[in-house]
Amino acid sequence: MRHTRWVTTTIDQDHQARTAVSTDLWRTAVVYQIYPRSFADSNGDGIGDLPGITSRVPYLRSLGVDAVWLSPFYPSALADGGYDVDDHRNVDPRLGTLGDFDAMISALHGADIKVIVDIVPNHTSNRHPWFREALTAGRGAPQRDRYLFRNGLGPRGEQPPNDWESMFGGSAWAPAGDGQWYFHCFAAEQPDLNWENDEVREDFRRTVRFWADRGVDGFRIDVAHGLRKDLSEPYLPWDEIADIMRPDGSHPLWDRDDVHEIYADWRRIFDSYDPPRFAVGEASVHPARRARYASADSLGQAFNFAMQDADWRPEDYREVINSGVADMINSTTSWLLGCHDTPRVATRYGLPLEEDRPAQQVARQWLLADGATPRLDPALGERRARAAIMILLALPGSAYIYQGEELGLQEVADLPREVLEDPMASRTTKEKGRDGCRVPLPWSADGPSYGFGQHVGHLPQPEWFAAYAVDVQEADPGSMLNLYRRALALRRELFVSDDLHWVESESSVLHFARPGGVRCITNFGPAPVALPVGEILLSSGQLDQSGLPSDTTVWMRAR
Ligand code: NOJ
Ligand code: CA
């Protein structure tokens, strides 16, 4: 966090007067992210599927979440974990059918859980019929205008048009074989769409309506900040644009102002349904620009990745909370500790804190070393992850939980190179990739895949997964799973409006008050600190006479 500056505004007395108890579920919803291929496998082929999700609805219900967000389950060659979509309006046959989707949604709705699906509008897969047509139609054909084809450099166009790099490493251009190249922000199997093309716009309107008509309650918009691009010449050299976060919309590829025209158009579609469909943007933008995506005439909510990027330090948390709470004044905010793209939270917090490298980077280096160095302290990581989720769930705004966080799963660091699925692992030597947080979930202490399915899963699970299994944790009142269940149930009861006040405290302590005077107090320091007199409602760790121990959060009612 030392690299970024945040706006520091709190919801104060004045604002409180303007803050009514919100009746909008989405403003405060707890959303559970399912990575379908790794959640539950119903037919033993090693791949999680939609009937698997349906079979686990009672688990989701008992967890107490308001909604689930499903990462892509669309037909895909899995060049990027399903974010390379062949057909945006269908189900991958390995994951089920549209009928299975309907059965899943009705089971979730029956349990009072809403459903969000992923829309991937920045690119299609290279197997999408449009892209195949673009390649065969040849230079200058209208079919190429749906994508971003440009002439290569050199006498026969044998060089890419410029030196721009893909987010996964290597060139952002791939050859069409005829002197033209196509642009891809991510893997070469994910050609970027041209959002100035009317057919592209119309096709995504159809996709949004298709899923909304099937009963989907909301959408998570992949790469929401990337759809509009300025690929006009002269191109800026890559080293001038490698830093993608700008405060003013001037980057040629990311967070351009006109991207919101697309969302204003979709907003009309969302609002034509009763109730209006919800949307959340995955927009890795400068903090000052995040609220634009979350405004009522754009997507309505945007992921706030700041807490996921924060180190385990009270000043980092304070900064992140102030910035997110400031977003709430005119729009909405969201909180998350992890997702399918980052090393697990319990691992990030179990690695040594470094002065000049954020925990995210330390964890990625550790992964590259297959977990050999630096030394991981899993118990410490878990303790901090417990304290962290209680901070997150005590905040106003919406909360996102990535599958397996509720089990306190650690990142799997020692996956052999030959089983890795993430294109990042093959496109760059600087990263091992994101498979370590996508290993199939352990549901039971026994079985060939710890209850994930009847056979082994698509990524190997380590033996230590047995101790984290759902059935083991259900039997242990002090488990991470039971902490999540209690915290989620209490959150509904306690935190009904947006008010938040900082309570003055020593620098190693984070202390804020919420409606009805409920306090959330976390001790980041090494020694126990005294607690106010009052009633303890929930604690992330054991308390004794000495006060609030290190790396522990309590929710309490002070007297
Ligand atoms: C963001 C997704 O979360 C990530 O998994 C994916 O690789 C990229 N978008 C590209 O679609
Ligand atoms: Ca399966």
Side-chain angles (χ1 to χ4, degrees):
M1 284 299 96
R2 287 159 305 290
H3 318 288
T4 328
R5 292 261 63 84
W6 303 94
V7 193
T8 51
T9 314
T10 56
I11 289 193
D12 55 18
Q13 291 287 354
D14 284 350
H15 179 60
Q16 246 190 78
R18 286 179 273 130
T19 309
V21 174
S22 172
T23 52
D24 178 6
L25 163 89
W26 296 109
R27 194 169 165 84
T28 55
V30 177
V31 183
Y32 183 86
Q33 182 194 352
I34 293 181
Y35 187 75
R37 287 177 178 79
S38 301
F39 187 67
D41 171 18
S42 72
N43 60 356
D45 65 355
I47 301 170
D49 44 48
L50 301 188
I53 297 173
T54 307
S55 74
R56 297 295 182 183
V57 169
Y59 172 78
L60 296 165
R61 167 101 190 157
S62 73
L63 190 56
V65 295
D66 299 300
V68 292
W69 146 36
L70 270 58
S71 277
F73 47 81
Y74 315 116
S76 166
L78 301 185
D80 178 21
Y83 283 91
D84 47 319
V85 180
D86 298 348
D87 177 355
H88 294 84
R89 296 184 287 273
N90 214 335
V91 175
D92 189 314
R94 286 165 298 182
L95 271 68
T97 61
L98 282 168
D100 292 328
F101 182 85
D102 295 341
M104 177 195 74
I105 211 170
S106 98
L108 284 161
H109 282 167
D112 213 10
I113 298 173
K114 307 237 177 290
V115 180
I116 297 173
V117 300
D118 228 301
I119 298 286
V120 188
N122 181 66
H123 41 263
T124 67
S125 80
N126 60 344
R127 307 196 316 172
H128 191 286
W130 274 3
F131 191 68
R132 293 175 195 260
E133 277 171 40
L135 284 185
T136 49
R139 301 171 71 109
Q143 289 88 335
R144 285 207 174 175
D145 187 56
R146 296 168 180 146
Y147 294 91
L148 299 167
F149 282 83
R150 293 291 183 274
N151 294 335
L153 301 178
R156 287 176 306 283
E158 66 281 9
Q159 303 286 333
N162 61 34
D163 67 343
W164 293 359
E165 291 178 18
S166 127
M167 299 294 282
F168 292 157
S171 174
W173 297 93
D178 54 13
Q180 284 211 314
W181 295 66
Y182 66 89
F183 183 74
H184 58 90
C185 274
F186 297 93
E189 294 85 352
Q190 293 164 293
D192 278 38
L193 286 163
N194 172 17
W195 271 88
E196 283 172 34
N197 180 292
D198 284 339
E199 282 179 278
V200 170
R201 289 171 177 270
E202 189 46 38
D203 197 67
F204 275 91
R205 287 184 197 115
R206 239 183 103 193
T207 297
V208 166
R209 284 197 205 97
F210 177 86
W211 294 109
D213 290 344
R214 274 204 120 80
V216 156
D217 306 282
F219 301 95
R220 178 261 189 194
I221 314 302
D222 189 58
V223 199
H225 55 315
L227 274 46
R228 293 304 300 259
K229 299 174 180 87
D230 178 6
L231 289 194
S232 59
E233 297 184 54
Y235 301 116
L236 291 170
W238 179 248
D239 60 8
E240 279 181 35
I241 58 166
D243 181 0
I244 69 166
M245 288 208 192
R246 293 194 180 176
D248 56 4
S250 64
H251 195 286
L253 300 176
W254 301 105
D255 188 30
R256 299 184 64 77
D257 290 342
D258 48 11
V259 78
H260 294 284
E261 288 166 17
I262 300 169
Y263 305 135
D265 179 35
W266 291 4
R267 171 54 50 203
R268 284 187 283 277
I269 301 177
F270 300 149
D271 288 351
S272 70
Y273 287 87
D274 182 21
R277 297 319 192 227
F278 163 82
V280 54
E282 188 231 3
S284 304
V285 295
H286 190 280
R289 309 260 304 173
R290 200 169 47 221
R292 297 159 72 96
Y293 293 82
S295 78
D297 47 8
S298 186
L299 292 172
Q301 192 162 102
F303 287 124
N304 171 0
F305 293 110
M307 194 173 276
Q308 175 180 261
D309 294 337
D311 288 353
W312 184 246
R313 290 192 178 91
E315 59 275 18
D316 287 18
Y317 265 72
R318 213 169 281 128
E319 226 169 319
V320 160
I321 292 170
N322 281 337
S323 157
V325 162
D327 284 354
M328 289 201 86
I329 294 171
N330 295 314
S331 53
T332 65
T333 200
S334 68
W335 312 100
L336 55 99
L337 289 164
C339 67
H340 64 298
D341 291 331
T342 41
R344 290 271 185 198
V345 56
T347 302
R348 295 198 314 265
Y349 289 165
L351 289 166
L353 261 175
E354 292 185 13
E355 261 319 302
D356 42 12
R357 270 200 314 180
Q360 283 280 356
Q361 261 182 42
V362 176
R364 292 200 149 91
Q365 278 300 308
W366 170 87
L367 262 176
L368 209 50
D370 294 341
T373 54
R375 199 183 68 79
L376 172 72
D377 182 341
L380 179 70
E382 184 170 330
R383 186 176 175 80
R384 290 178 171 171
R386 291 172 71 100
I389 190 64
M390 279 187 57
I391 301 175
L392 183 146
L393 291 178
L395 293 169
S398 184
Y400 288 79
I401 297 168
Y402 174 51
Q403 68 178 40
E405 263 166 35
E406 80 282 16
L407 304 177
L409 281 184
Q410 299 279 343
E411 184 81 4
V412 182
D414 53 359
L415 289 170
R417 293 287 187 283
E418 61 277 12
V419 305
L420 296 181
E421 296 170 358
D422 186 358
M424 234 184 212
S426 51
R427 289 189 64 92
T428 167
T429 50
K430 294 188 199 132
E431 300 268 0
K432 188 165 178 188
R434 300 161 293 178
D435 292 301
C437 66
R438 300 176 180 182
V439 174
L441 288 193
W443 293 91
S444 60
D446 306 309
S449 56
Y450 304 109
F452 167 68
Q454 295 100 328
H455 298 295
V456 291
H458 64 105
L459 283 169
Q461 298 155 299
E463 278 176 18
W464 51 262
F465 258 37
Y468 290 82
V470 171
D471 65 355
V472 173
Q473 299 210 28
E474 281 188 323
D476 172 6
S479 68
M480 183 73 110
L481 177 59
N482 280 320
L483 176 72
Y484 266 74
R485 285 177 171 164
R486 279 200 300 275
L488 286 166
L490 264 177
R491 174 185 158 98
R492 274 177 207 277
E493 226 178 87
L494 299 176
F495 304 134
V496 285
S497 74
D498 289 348
D499 324 346
L500 182 146
H501 302 277
W502 289 112
V503 178
E504 208 148 321
S505 53
E506 53 194 281
S507 62
S508 59
V509 172
L510 191 84
H511 187 163
F512 55 85
R514 295 279 280 120
V518 175
R519 311 288 187 86
C520 176
I521 313 174
T522 308
N523 179 9
F524 285 77
V529 293
L531 280 171
V533 178
E535 179 200 358
I536 304 289
L537 303 168
L538 187 65
S539 169
S540 69
Q542 285 284 337
L543 299 180
D544 59 30
Q545 298 312 314
S546 53
L548 182 64
S550 174
D551 298 326
T552 306
T553 299
V554 287
W555 292 352
M556 65 177 296
R557 239 185 221 110
R559 248 183 260 127

